[in-house]
Amino acid sequence: MKGVLIGLGIFVAIILIVGLSLYGWVNGVRNDGIQHETRLTAQYLDNQNYLSAYVSGFYEQLGIANLKSEKLDQILSDAVRGRYDKGGFNVGSSFFTGIMEAYPNLAGLDVYDKVVNYVAAGREGYRATQSKLLDMLRAYDSWRETGIVKSQAVRMLGFPSSRLEARIGDQSLKGVEARDRMYRIVLAPDALKAYESGTMEPLKVLPSK
């Protein structure tokens, strides 16, 4: 009888140890997922902040902060996203012509170098933030899919979860939709209106002279 009780005690102890170990492992997986999603949500908003600051800073550079327009906002957003790669930023290019069309009074000012340098720096900075977001998404997907047992645990825990949020103004996407939207923003080849749904109409600019 004593031997049976000892054996039962050992069995219960093993079950407890295994249970606690499993709980600790699952809890660790959950915590890793929360950290991934929290960082992604914050980075997505930070990318929007960068783009907004870049556009606002352009007006300040030229001393026309009180003359903001949606048209020039879009020209600047397109430029930082690479829409003008083929035409370049020379005087007479569609980019520069668009600016002169939006603000004819700037035509007589020596703003070309300032514009080009500012846009170039903004594009590089925005590219870096987008690349960072893309790397974070890849790391998140790798974490979710690698490991036969872990990947099943990740699915059971419900990742992507509602903690992963892609907020665009008043619109908020969560979970799988948020992940898909983050990839769409990073990889979209055409100029998209800054963090809003739908493709913009082509910019109408005057032909170069």
Side-chain angles (χ1 to χ4, degrees):
M1 187 65 177
K2 185 177 180 181
V4 172
L5 291 175
I6 293 174
L8 183 60
I10 294 174
F11 176 75
V12 171
I14 292 173
I15 293 298
L16 286 174
I17 292 172
V18 172
L20 290 173
S21 297
L22 181 60
Y23 170 80
W25 178 79
V26 172
N27 192 56
V29 171
R30 179 177 178 275
N31 289 341
D32 288 344
I34 291 174
Q35 290 178 12
H36 275 291
E37 294 188 342
T38 300
R39 288 194 294 263
L40 281 168
T41 297
Q43 184 63 42
Y44 189 73
L45 288 174
D46 190 51
N47 285 17
Q48 295 180 59
N49 285 336
Y50 184 96
L51 187 57
S52 177
Y54 154 78
V55 173
S56 297
F58 182 86
Y59 290 93
E60 294 170 1
Q61 288 279 317
L62 302 183
I64 55 174
N66 61 329
L67 298 176
K68 288 173 65 65
S69 74
E70 291 185 4
K71 182 173 183 179
L72 188 52
D73 283 355
Q74 189 59 49
I75 292 173
L76 296 173
S77 295
D78 287 342
V80 84
R81 287 189 174 94
R83 184 180 188 273
Y84 299 99
D85 280 352
K86 294 182 180 179
F89 299 100
N90 294 322
V91 175
S93 66
S94 59
F95 167 74
F96 209 82
T97 302
I99 294 178
M100 293 301 103
E101 181 187 35
Y103 291 101
N105 291 336
L106 293 180
L109 302 178
D110 185 17
V111 298
Y112 173 71
D113 289 339
K114 183 180 289 188
V115 167
V116 172
N117 292 337
Y118 185 80
V119 170
R123 288 183 61 191
E124 180 60 25
Y126 188 64
R127 182 201 63 76
T129 61
Q130 290 289 67
S131 294
K132 181 178 180 180
L133 178 63
L134 182 55
D135 287 341
M136 292 170 66
L137 285 166
R138 286 171 175 164
Y140 177 60
D141 284 344
S142 177
W143 170 82
R144 289 191 308 113
E145 299 297 335
T146 55
I148 296 175
V149 177
K150 190 193 73 177
S151 61
Q152 295 302 316
V154 167
R155 290 184 178 88
M156 290 177 62
L157 290 169
F159 291 103
S161 75
S162 60
R163 297 181 191 86
L164 182 63
E165 181 180 12
R167 179 169 290 280
I168 312 162
D170 294 332
Q171 182 186 15
S172 177
L173 301 176
K174 296 184 178 182
V176 175
E177 289 184 336
R179 172 194 170 276
D180 292 344
R181 174 54 63 91
M182 289 177 182
Y183 264 121
R184 174 184 166 189
I185 292 298
V186 171
L187 300 178
D190 300 321
L192 300 177
K193 188 175 181 180
Y195 295 94
E196 294 180 1
S197 60
T199 304
M200 291 291 292
E201 292 292 329
L203 290 175
K204 296 179 181 180
V205 296
L206 297 174
S208 59
K209 297 180 180 180

